[in-house]
Amino acid sequence: MKIFSPLYERAMRWSRHPRAPWFLGGMSFAESSFFPIPPDVMLAPMSLANPRRAWWFALLTTLTSVAGGLFGYLIGYFAFDAIEPWLRGSNHWGAYEQAVAWFDAWGFWAIFIAGFSPIPYKVFTIAAGVASMALLPFTLASFVGRGARFFLVAGLMAWGGARMEGMLRIYVDRLGWATVGLVVLGALIYKL
């Protein structure tokens, strides 16, 4: 069943749109403070479609993500009381409590790890504001962690270029179903 191929083709078409960098920057900013979809879903196809601009896309994503992280920090610092009921009712409350525990244990490194890994960065930006983490270390950790992640994604896609785009076009459905299988397996293992 080929459901991933049409999605891949559409993503590649959108990644070549003249306004795609604007959408990438907006998504990156929003994801760092409240939006659930990571910017990698736009950064990767954009870097794949236009490898010569991959480093520019990575820089744009990094800068707008750090700006969004600062916005998340301000939400935590000034408006946590207003969002706490929503956060408690969402599926992010456990991640928020984990972020607070990580701040107590690791501080700067908690933000760096959240910025680089698939952990919800937005939860850590808000928690940093609630904890009144010093702004300079927060910004530095965000910049290094997010930059390392986005430059790695863009670099891998640019390195693969047209050859990788062609290979993905052939195997995207198999990769998509394998990913679905891994997610289901992970969920089952987590419930055990």
Side-chain angles (χ1 to χ4, degrees):
M1 180 188 267
K2 293 191 173 207
I3 64 171
F4 297 99
S5 297
L7 295 173
Y8 173 77
E9 293 300 330
R10 185 173 296 150
M12 293 308 292
R13 251 190 335 273
W14 287 348
S15 69
R16 290 178 172 96
H17 191 279
R19 291 198 180 107
W22 287 95
F23 299 139
L24 175 62
M27 175 185 254
S28 182
F29 179 89
E31 184 270 338
S32 294
S33 49
F34 59 87
F35 193 63
I37 300 172
D40 308 65
V41 300
M42 282 190 72
L43 175 62
M46 287 174 68
S47 298
L48 191 60
N50 195 346
R52 289 181 306 201
R53 297 198 65 207
W55 301 122
W56 161 243
F57 297 146
L59 179 61
L60 172 68
T61 307
T62 300
L63 294 175
T64 54
S65 180
V66 172
L70 290 168
F71 182 66
Y73 181 98
L74 292 174
I75 290 171
Y77 191 82
F78 290 111
F80 186 73
D81 291 338
I83 67 160
E84 183 179 10
W86 171 83
L87 190 60
R88 280 185 183 273
S90 76
N91 59 353
H92 293 297
W93 183 252
Y96 169 76
E97 290 180 314
Q98 184 66 50
V100 170
W102 282 19
F103 278 121
D104 290 340
W106 299 306
F108 172 93
W109 294 107
I111 291 293
F112 172 79
I113 291 168
F116 185 76
S117 71
I119 296 170
Y121 176 65
K122 70 187 105 328
V123 173
F124 281 80
T125 66
I126 292 169
V130 172
S132 299
M133 181 179 181
L135 203 53
L136 184 61
F138 170 81
T139 305
L140 182 62
S142 294
F143 187 74
V144 173
R146 296 308 261 182
R149 173 179 169 169
F150 298 138
F151 276 88
L152 178 65
V153 168
L156 287 172
M157 295 298 108
W159 173 73
R163 184 185 54 190
M164 184 180 288
E165 186 176 349
M167 293 290 286
L168 282 174
R169 185 170 278 114
I170 294 168
Y171 295 109
V172 69
D173 285 299
R174 291 180 191 163
L175 291 169
W177 285 114
T179 302
V180 169
L182 288 172
V183 168
V184 169
L185 181 63
L188 291 173
I189 291 170
Y190 179 74
K191 287 187 177 193
L192 295 177

